[in-house]
Amino acid sequence: MSTVTKLLPYGLVTAGLVMSFLCDGCFMSKVVKAVTLLSAGYLFRKYMKGGVYRGKERIEGKTVIITGCNTGIGKETARELARRGGRIIMACRDLEKAKMAREEIVTDTGNPNVIVMKLDLSSFESIKEFAQAINETEPRIDILINNAGVMMCPKMLTKDGLEMQIGVNHFGHFYLTNLLLDKLKASTPSRIIIVSSLAHIFGKIDFDDINSTKRYKPSDAYAQSKLANILHMRQLVKVLEGTGVTVYSLHPGSVDTELQRHFTILQYSIIKVLFYPVKFMFFKTPIEGAQTTLYAALDPALETVTGKYFSDCKEKLPAPRALVEEDAQKLWNLSLTITQENKQS
């Protein structure tokens, strides 16, 4: 895109503001105002779209595991990494949806090296079976993307009796990552990417009631799990120091995906129609939402960088609670205890 094309909307907004003052009340003023509003809307939508990763790296010979990638940003991440030549392992709970997504990705990218494997992050038994199969059959893991998530669901428990959001978003990925660490360390330089959320700023780790048994509020439980993602990343950095495995966490943005399926008000057709303009202006598409994940997975400049939190393809400072080293260590110890006590023999 040329510089002139990039600057055109800004010029139209500026010119429109000037002309509206000069021609107030006339027909031309109405035309100018309409053009000004459209240009301003375009600029706002472009701003909400966020950063775009423009690197051209190829990843032939590299193996990427992506959890929860049969839809949303995970699916678009898998599609783009397949397009770049990677061997993609789609780790999904719903095999039928995953197989359909795989066929679409293979057709779109021309890369048949896309594999679907069963992984239910709400079950330590399923996680253990998946990790065992990977460790026995895959020669390497170059990139692990912990993408799957549950958002603001009604009170539910995992198969191991944990609150669903902290159970899947944190404990499931914690256990999976630990079981794959040896393979990741043997494949260096390798990367671990943990998809968190800006919602972590509202989170607080309740070490006395990690499963929200005393009081359950979906938004609080979600925020706690997203804060746990960043604390997990920070402690992983210490555990992996000197190994050549780098770790990142990120906020993908407000993305229009199936994570909103538990927002009951959005299930009504009339609400969906009324809400569409809001989604169009304020929410990213899944492709747009995948950009920061792609940046963390691909940018060669990050090969010697670890422990960073990104948003819109840029490093950002997470909330103060995500920087408390004592909490990161405490959560790590608690996670080890829970996964060891609940995992199936």
Side-chain angles (χ1 to χ4, degrees):
M1 183 182 294
S2 68
T3 302
V4 173
T5 304
K6 290 180 180 178
L7 293 178
L8 181 60
Y10 297 93
L12 288 173
V13 171
T14 303
L17 291 173
V18 173
M19 290 293 292
S20 63
F21 282 112
L22 295 177
C23 308
D24 189 36
C26 67
F27 173 76
M28 182 59 68
S29 174
K30 294 178 181 179
V31 174
V32 170
K33 286 179 179 179
V35 173
T36 302
L37 285 173
L38 288 172
S39 299
Y42 169 83
L43 292 177
F44 181 76
R45 180 66 186 87
K46 184 178 180 181
Y47 172 79
M48 294 304 296
K49 177 180 178 179
V52 177
Y53 183 64
R54 302 190 184 281
K56 304 299 182 183
E57 297 79 20
R58 300 289 299 175
I59 57 170
E60 282 90 353
K62 292 190 175 184
T63 297
V64 184
I65 297 175
I66 310 173
T67 67
C69 56
N70 58 18
T71 187
I73 64 174
K75 179 180 174 182
E76 296 307 326
T77 300
R79 189 196 308 273
E80 182 58 29
L81 294 177
R83 184 175 285 118
R84 292 169 184 257
R87 174 178 169 81
I88 311 301
I89 298 176
M90 301 177 65
C92 301
R93 178 180 57 85
D94 190 326
L95 290 182
E96 290 305 312
K97 284 186 177 181
K99 289 174 182 177
M100 291 173 61
R102 177 198 175 273
E103 291 178 7
E104 180 183 326
I105 290 169
V106 170
T107 299
D108 188 34
T109 65
N111 181 357
N113 208 7
V114 181
I115 297 91
V116 171
M117 292 182 65
K118 173 76 173 181
L119 174 63
D120 182 353
L121 285 161
S122 70
S123 164
F124 289 146
E125 182 178 15
S126 175
I127 296 168
K128 185 177 180 180
E129 290 175 353
F130 173 85
Q132 184 175 349
I134 291 292
N135 286 325
E136 290 178 352
T137 61
E138 294 296 326
R140 61 185 302 110
I141 305 171
D142 297 275
I143 306 170
L144 170 63
I145 302 178
N146 291 338
N147 167 83
V150 180
M151 181 179 180
M152 299 188 196
C153 61
K155 182 65 179 288
M156 297 186 290
L157 300 179
T158 69
K159 294 177 175 64
D160 302 285
L162 302 169
E163 185 276 314
M164 186 63 72
Q165 295 187 82
I166 194 73
V168 169
N169 298 353
H170 171 64
F171 290 117
H173 280 124
F174 175 90
Y175 187 39
L176 173 68
T177 303
N178 274 11
L179 291 176
L180 298 178
L181 278 186
D182 287 343
K183 184 73 69 173
L184 283 156
K185 287 188 282 189
S187 308
T188 55
S190 53
R191 303 185 185 194
I192 300 171
I193 297 156
I194 302 172
V195 179
S196 180
S197 167
L198 185 63
H200 82 273
I201 67 175
F202 304 108
K204 179 181 179 182
I205 306 297
D206 190 343
F207 289 104
D208 295 322
D209 188 26
I210 197 72
N211 284 311
S212 306
T213 54
K214 298 175 184 176
R215 173 184 173 274
Y216 180 73
K217 185 177 179 181
S219 58
D220 289 349
Y222 179 69
Q224 175 182 238
S225 72
K226 295 291 103 179
L227 175 59
N229 288 154
I230 302 179
L231 292 172
H232 179 205
M233 179 266 290
R234 293 185 65 82
Q235 192 61 27
L236 260 177
V237 170
K238 293 182 178 180
V239 172
L240 294 169
E241 185 176 2
T243 64
V245 183
T246 52
V247 192
Y248 318 105
S249 188
L250 63 92
H251 166 55
S254 298
V255 187
D256 183 18
T257 70
E258 288 189 8
L259 272 180
Q260 301 168 24
R261 61 184 174 273
H262 294 296
F263 292 8
T264 54
I265 192 172
L266 296 180
Q267 306 308 311
Y268 298 98
S269 298
I270 185 63
I271 298 297
K272 286 183 179 179
V273 172
L274 294 174
F275 193 63
Y276 179 79
V278 176
K279 290 202 297 183
F280 176 78
M281 291 300 295
F282 291 93
F283 285 73
K284 295 181 179 182
T285 65
I287 293 174
E288 294 164 353
Q291 296 304 305
T292 304
T293 302
L294 294 170
Y295 164 72
L298 295 168
D299 194 332
L302 299 181
E303 193 165 299
T304 57
V305 176
T306 190
K308 302 299 183 181
Y309 171 76
F310 303 114
S311 178
D312 284 333
C313 301
K314 295 179 182 178
E315 181 182 346
K316 298 291 176 66
L317 188 67
R321 284 177 177 167
L323 302 175
V324 180
E325 299 299 335
E326 294 82 358
D327 284 356
Q329 180 67 65
K330 191 173 181 180
L331 179 63
W332 180 274
N333 293 339
L334 175 63
S335 302
L336 283 176
T337 300
I338 287 178
T339 53
Q340 289 170 0
E341 286 182 351
N342 288 275
K343 67 184 180 183
Q344 301 296 313
S345 60

PDB file of all heavy atoms in Angstrom, residues 20 52-53 66 96 101-102 124 145 147 155 167 173 180 198 228 243 274 323 334 340:
ATOM      1  N   SER A  20     -16.686  21.316   6.770  1.00  0.00           N
ATOM      2  CA  SER A  20     -17.952  21.380   7.492  1.00  0.00           C
ATOM      3  C   SER A  20     -18.128  22.721   8.180  1.00  0.00           C
ATOM      4  O   SER A  20     -19.250  23.219   8.331  1.00  0.00           O
ATOM      5  CB  SER A  20     -18.046  20.244   8.505  1.00  0.00           C
ATOM      6  OG  SER A  20     -17.025  20.371   9.483  1.00  0.00           O
ATOM      7  N   VAL A  52      -0.509  -6.233  12.771  1.00  0.00           N
ATOM      8  CA  VAL A  52      -0.485  -7.299  11.762  1.00  0.00           C
ATOM      9  C   VAL A  52       0.947  -7.807  11.650  1.00  0.00           C
ATOM     10  O   VAL A  52       1.887  -7.013  11.521  1.00  0.00           O
ATOM     11  CB  VAL A  52      -0.974  -6.782  10.389  1.00  0.00           C
ATOM     12  CG1 VAL A  52      -0.880  -7.880   9.348  1.00  0.00           C
ATOM     13  CG2 VAL A  52      -2.396  -6.250  10.498  1.00  0.00           C
ATOM     14  N   TYR A  53       1.116  -9.123  11.701  1.00  0.00           N
ATOM     15  CA  TYR A  53       2.458  -9.674  11.552  1.00  0.00           C
ATOM     16  C   TYR A  53       2.761  -9.845  10.067  1.00  0.00           C
ATOM     17  O   TYR A  53       2.063 -10.557   9.362  1.00  0.00           O
ATOM     18  CB  TYR A  53       2.596 -11.018  12.263  1.00  0.00           C
ATOM     19  CG  TYR A  53       4.010 -11.537  12.159  1.00  0.00           C
ATOM     20  CD1 TYR A  53       5.052 -10.845  12.753  1.00  0.00           C
ATOM     21  CD2 TYR A  53       4.307 -12.681  11.428  1.00  0.00           C
ATOM     22  CE1 TYR A  53       6.366 -11.275  12.634  1.00  0.00           C
ATOM     23  CE2 TYR A  53       5.618 -13.131  11.313  1.00  0.00           C
ATOM     24  CZ  TYR A  53       6.633 -12.418  11.914  1.00  0.00           C
ATOM     25  OH  TYR A  53       7.938 -12.840  11.782  1.00  0.00           O
ATOM     26  N   ILE A  66      -0.918 -27.062  18.410  1.00  0.00           N
ATOM     27  CA  ILE A  66      -1.843 -25.984  18.758  1.00  0.00           C
ATOM     28  C   ILE A  66      -3.063 -26.601  19.434  1.00  0.00           C
ATOM     29  O   ILE A  66      -3.731 -27.457  18.853  1.00  0.00           O
ATOM     30  CB  ILE A  66      -2.298 -25.200  17.517  1.00  0.00           C
ATOM     31  CG1 ILE A  66      -1.094 -24.768  16.666  1.00  0.00           C
ATOM     32  CG2 ILE A  66      -3.126 -23.981  17.925  1.00  0.00           C
ATOM     33  CD1 ILE A  66      -1.485 -24.138  15.337  1.00  0.00           C
ATOM     34  N   GLU A  96     -14.647 -34.404  15.345  1.00  0.00           N
ATOM     35  CA  GLU A  96     -15.397 -34.181  14.109  1.00  0.00           C
ATOM     36  C   GLU A  96     -15.170 -32.769  13.585  1.00  0.00           C
ATOM     37  O   GLU A  96     -14.896 -32.562  12.405  1.00  0.00           O
ATOM     38  CB  GLU A  96     -16.893 -34.437  14.348  1.00  0.00           C
ATOM     39  CG  GLU A  96     -17.229 -35.906  14.562  1.00  0.00           C
ATOM     40  CD  GLU A  96     -16.732 -36.787  13.412  1.00  0.00           C
ATOM     41  OE1 GLU A  96     -16.981 -36.421  12.242  1.00  0.00           O
ATOM     42  OE2 GLU A  96     -16.098 -37.816  13.688  1.00  0.00           O
ATOM     43  N   ALA A 101     -12.116 -28.933  10.073  1.00  0.00           N
ATOM     44  CA  ALA A 101     -11.195 -27.796  10.003  1.00  0.00           C
ATOM     45  C   ALA A 101      -9.916 -28.196   9.281  1.00  0.00           C
ATOM     46  O   ALA A 101      -9.367 -27.418   8.490  1.00  0.00           O
ATOM     47  CB  ALA A 101     -10.881 -27.291  11.414  1.00  0.00           C
ATOM     48  N   ARG A 102      -9.444 -29.411   9.540  1.00  0.00           N
ATOM     49  CA  ARG A 102      -8.226 -29.890   8.881  1.00  0.00           C
ATOM     50  C   ARG A 102      -8.415 -29.938   7.365  1.00  0.00           C
ATOM     51  O   ARG A 102      -7.545 -29.485   6.600  1.00  0.00           O
ATOM     52  CB  ARG A 102      -7.850 -31.283   9.381  1.00  0.00           C
ATOM     53  CG  ARG A 102      -6.624 -31.842   8.674  1.00  0.00           C
ATOM     54  CD  ARG A 102      -6.478 -33.348   8.817  1.00  0.00           C
ATOM     55  NE  ARG A 102      -5.344 -33.800   8.015  1.00  0.00           N
ATOM     56  CZ  ARG A 102      -5.395 -34.132   6.736  1.00  0.00           C
ATOM     57  NH1 ARG A 102      -6.568 -34.078   6.080  1.00  0.00           N
ATOM     58  NH2 ARG A 102      -4.303 -34.523   6.077  1.00  0.00           N
ATOM     59  N   PHE A 124      -7.113 -34.963  32.903  1.00  0.00           N
ATOM     60  CA  PHE A 124      -5.685 -35.263  33.028  1.00  0.00           C
ATOM     61  C   PHE A 124      -5.344 -36.577  32.328  1.00  0.00           C
ATOM     62  O   PHE A 124      -4.249 -36.747  31.802  1.00  0.00           O
ATOM     63  CB  PHE A 124      -5.274 -35.329  34.499  1.00  0.00           C
ATOM     64  CG  PHE A 124      -5.261 -33.983  35.183  1.00  0.00           C
ATOM     65  CD1 PHE A 124      -5.606 -33.864  36.513  1.00  0.00           C
ATOM     66  CD2 PHE A 124      -4.889 -32.839  34.496  1.00  0.00           C
ATOM     67  CE1 PHE A 124      -5.580 -32.634  37.149  1.00  0.00           C
ATOM     68  CE2 PHE A 124      -4.861 -31.608  35.118  1.00  0.00           C
ATOM     69  CZ  PHE A 124      -5.216 -31.501  36.455  1.00  0.00           C
ATOM     70  N   ILE A 145       1.697 -24.117  21.199  1.00  0.00           N
ATOM     71  CA  ILE A 145       0.805 -22.974  21.371  1.00  0.00           C
ATOM     72  C   ILE A 145      -0.380 -23.399  22.230  1.00  0.00           C
ATOM     73  O   ILE A 145      -1.260 -24.142  21.788  1.00  0.00           O
ATOM     74  CB  ILE A 145       0.318 -22.433  20.011  1.00  0.00           C
ATOM     75  CG1 ILE A 145       1.524 -22.031  19.145  1.00  0.00           C
ATOM     76  CG2 ILE A 145      -0.609 -21.234  20.215  1.00  0.00           C
ATOM     77  CD1 ILE A 145       1.156 -21.537  17.761  1.00  0.00           C
ATOM     78  N   ASN A 147      -3.459 -22.556  23.223  1.00  0.00           N
ATOM     79  CA  ASN A 147      -4.465 -21.629  22.711  1.00  0.00           C
ATOM     80  C   ASN A 147      -5.876 -21.892  23.241  1.00  0.00           C
ATOM     81  O   ASN A 147      -6.663 -20.963  23.390  1.00  0.00           O
ATOM     82  CB  ASN A 147      -4.475 -21.713  21.179  1.00  0.00           C
ATOM     83  CG  ASN A 147      -5.676 -21.042  20.567  1.00  0.00           C
ATOM     84  OD1 ASN A 147      -5.701 -19.836  20.371  1.00  0.00           O
ATOM     85  ND2 ASN A 147      -6.708 -21.822  20.227  1.00  0.00           N
ATOM     86  N   LYS A 155     -21.156 -22.561  36.176  1.00  0.00           N
ATOM     87  CA  LYS A 155     -20.325 -23.369  37.064  1.00  0.00           C
ATOM     88  C   LYS A 155     -20.321 -24.822  36.589  1.00  0.00           C
ATOM     89  O   LYS A 155     -21.340 -25.495  36.532  1.00  0.00           O
ATOM     90  CB  LYS A 155     -20.843 -23.306  38.501  1.00  0.00           C
ATOM     91  CG  LYS A 155     -19.995 -24.090  39.514  1.00  0.00           C
ATOM     92  CD  LYS A 155     -18.601 -23.499  39.644  1.00  0.00           C
ATOM     93  CE  LYS A 155     -17.750 -24.258  40.662  1.00  0.00           C
ATOM     94  NZ  LYS A 155     -18.180 -24.021  42.050  1.00  0.00           N
ATOM     95  N   GLY A 167      -9.409 -24.963  35.422  1.00  0.00           N
ATOM     96  CA  GLY A 167      -9.003 -26.331  35.112  1.00  0.00           C
ATOM     97  C   GLY A 167      -8.491 -26.491  33.700  1.00  0.00           C
ATOM     98  O   GLY A 167      -7.454 -27.127  33.474  1.00  0.00           O
ATOM     99  N   HIS A 173      -3.329 -26.893  30.652  1.00  0.00           N
ATOM    100  CA  HIS A 173      -2.156 -26.491  29.871  1.00  0.00           C
ATOM    101  C   HIS A 173      -0.865 -26.630  30.676  1.00  0.00           C
ATOM    102  O   HIS A 173       0.189 -26.957  30.114  1.00  0.00           O
ATOM    103  CB  HIS A 173      -2.322 -25.051  29.383  1.00  0.00           C
ATOM    104  CG  HIS A 173      -3.187 -24.935  28.167  1.00  0.00           C
ATOM    105  ND1 HIS A 173      -4.305 -24.127  28.118  1.00  0.00           N
ATOM    106  CD2 HIS A 173      -3.108 -25.528  26.951  1.00  0.00           C
ATOM    107  CE1 HIS A 173      -4.858 -24.220  26.916  1.00  0.00           C
ATOM    108  NE2 HIS A 173      -4.158 -25.072  26.194  1.00  0.00           N
ATOM    109  N   LEU A 180       5.518 -32.267  28.097  1.00  0.00           N
ATOM    110  CA  LEU A 180       6.205 -32.111  26.812  1.00  0.00           C
ATOM    111  C   LEU A 180       7.536 -31.363  26.927  1.00  0.00           C
ATOM    112  O   LEU A 180       8.219 -31.164  25.917  1.00  0.00           O
ATOM    113  CB  LEU A 180       5.299 -31.371  25.819  1.00  0.00           C
ATOM    114  CG  LEU A 180       3.978 -32.059  25.448  1.00  0.00           C
ATOM    115  CD1 LEU A 180       3.174 -31.185  24.501  1.00  0.00           C
ATOM    116  CD2 LEU A 180       4.226 -33.435  24.836  1.00  0.00           C
ATOM    117  N   LEU A 198      -6.393  -9.721  28.128  1.00  0.00           N
ATOM    118  CA  LEU A 198      -6.368  -8.478  28.891  1.00  0.00           C
ATOM    119  C   LEU A 198      -7.205  -8.607  30.160  1.00  0.00           C
ATOM    120  O   LEU A 198      -6.990  -7.874  31.136  1.00  0.00           O
ATOM    121  CB  LEU A 198      -6.898  -7.330  28.028  1.00  0.00           C
ATOM    122  CG  LEU A 198      -6.831  -5.928  28.630  1.00  0.00           C
ATOM    123  CD1 LEU A 198      -5.389  -5.503  28.892  1.00  0.00           C
ATOM    124  CD2 LEU A 198      -7.522  -4.916  27.713  1.00  0.00           C
ATOM    125  N   ALA A 228      -3.453 -16.492  35.796  1.00  0.00           N
ATOM    126  CA  ALA A 228      -2.652 -17.706  36.008  1.00  0.00           C
ATOM    127  C   ALA A 228      -1.803 -18.022  34.782  1.00  0.00           C
ATOM    128  O   ALA A 228      -0.668 -18.492  34.910  1.00  0.00           O
ATOM    129  CB  ALA A 228      -3.569 -18.886  36.336  1.00  0.00           C
ATOM    130  N   THR A 243      18.038 -23.344  28.671  1.00  0.00           N
ATOM    131  CA  THR A 243      17.722 -24.542  27.888  1.00  0.00           C
ATOM    132  C   THR A 243      17.558 -24.253  26.395  1.00  0.00           C
ATOM    133  O   THR A 243      17.584 -25.169  25.579  1.00  0.00           O
ATOM    134  CB  THR A 243      16.421 -25.201  28.384  1.00  0.00           C
ATOM    135  OG1 THR A 243      15.325 -24.294  28.170  1.00  0.00           O
ATOM    136  CG2 THR A 243      16.521 -25.560  29.868  1.00  0.00           C
ATOM    137  N   LEU A 274     -28.807  -6.901  16.222  1.00  0.00           N
ATOM    138  CA  LEU A 274     -28.558  -5.583  16.800  1.00  0.00           C
ATOM    139  C   LEU A 274     -27.096  -5.427  17.222  1.00  0.00           C
ATOM    140  O   LEU A 274     -26.542  -4.324  17.188  1.00  0.00           O
ATOM    141  CB  LEU A 274     -29.477  -5.355  18.007  1.00  0.00           C
ATOM    142  CG  LEU A 274     -30.975  -5.267  17.700  1.00  0.00           C
ATOM    143  CD1 LEU A 274     -31.777  -5.177  18.986  1.00  0.00           C
ATOM    144  CD2 LEU A 274     -31.272  -4.062  16.804  1.00  0.00           C
ATOM    145  N   LEU A 323       3.134  -9.709  37.907  1.00  0.00           N
ATOM    146  CA  LEU A 323       4.576  -9.541  38.084  1.00  0.00           C
ATOM    147  C   LEU A 323       5.048  -9.958  39.472  1.00  0.00           C
ATOM    148  O   LEU A 323       6.227  -9.793  39.797  1.00  0.00           O
ATOM    149  CB  LEU A 323       4.953  -8.071  37.837  1.00  0.00           C
ATOM    150  CG  LEU A 323       4.574  -7.506  36.462  1.00  0.00           C
ATOM    151  CD1 LEU A 323       4.880  -6.017  36.397  1.00  0.00           C
ATOM    152  CD2 LEU A 323       5.291  -8.251  35.350  1.00  0.00           C
ATOM    153  N   LEU A 334       1.470 -25.132  43.631  1.00  0.00           N
ATOM    154  CA  LEU A 334       0.096 -25.619  43.743  1.00  0.00           C
ATOM    155  C   LEU A 334      -0.284 -26.429  42.510  1.00  0.00           C
ATOM    156  O   LEU A 334      -0.930 -27.484  42.617  1.00  0.00           O
ATOM    157  CB  LEU A 334      -0.858 -24.440  43.898  1.00  0.00           C
ATOM    158  CG  LEU A 334      -2.359 -24.775  43.921  1.00  0.00           C
ATOM    159  CD1 LEU A 334      -2.695 -25.660  45.125  1.00  0.00           C
ATOM    160  CD2 LEU A 334      -3.198 -23.494  43.946  1.00  0.00           C
ATOM    161  N   GLN A 340      -0.309 -33.710  40.078  1.00  0.00           N
ATOM    162  CA  GLN A 340       0.217 -34.975  40.553  1.00  0.00           C
ATOM    163  C   GLN A 340      -0.813 -35.763  41.350  1.00  0.00           C
ATOM    164  O   GLN A 340      -0.892 -36.983  41.277  1.00  0.00           O
ATOM    165  CB  GLN A 340       1.472 -34.744  41.404  1.00  0.00           C
ATOM    166  CG  GLN A 340       2.667 -34.306  40.583  1.00  0.00           C
ATOM    167  CD  GLN A 340       3.838 -33.836  41.439  1.00  0.00           C
ATOM    168  OE1 GLN A 340       3.770 -33.823  42.663  1.00  0.00           O
ATOM    169  NE2 GLN A 340       4.928 -33.447  40.783  1.00  0.00           N
TER     170      GLN A 340
END
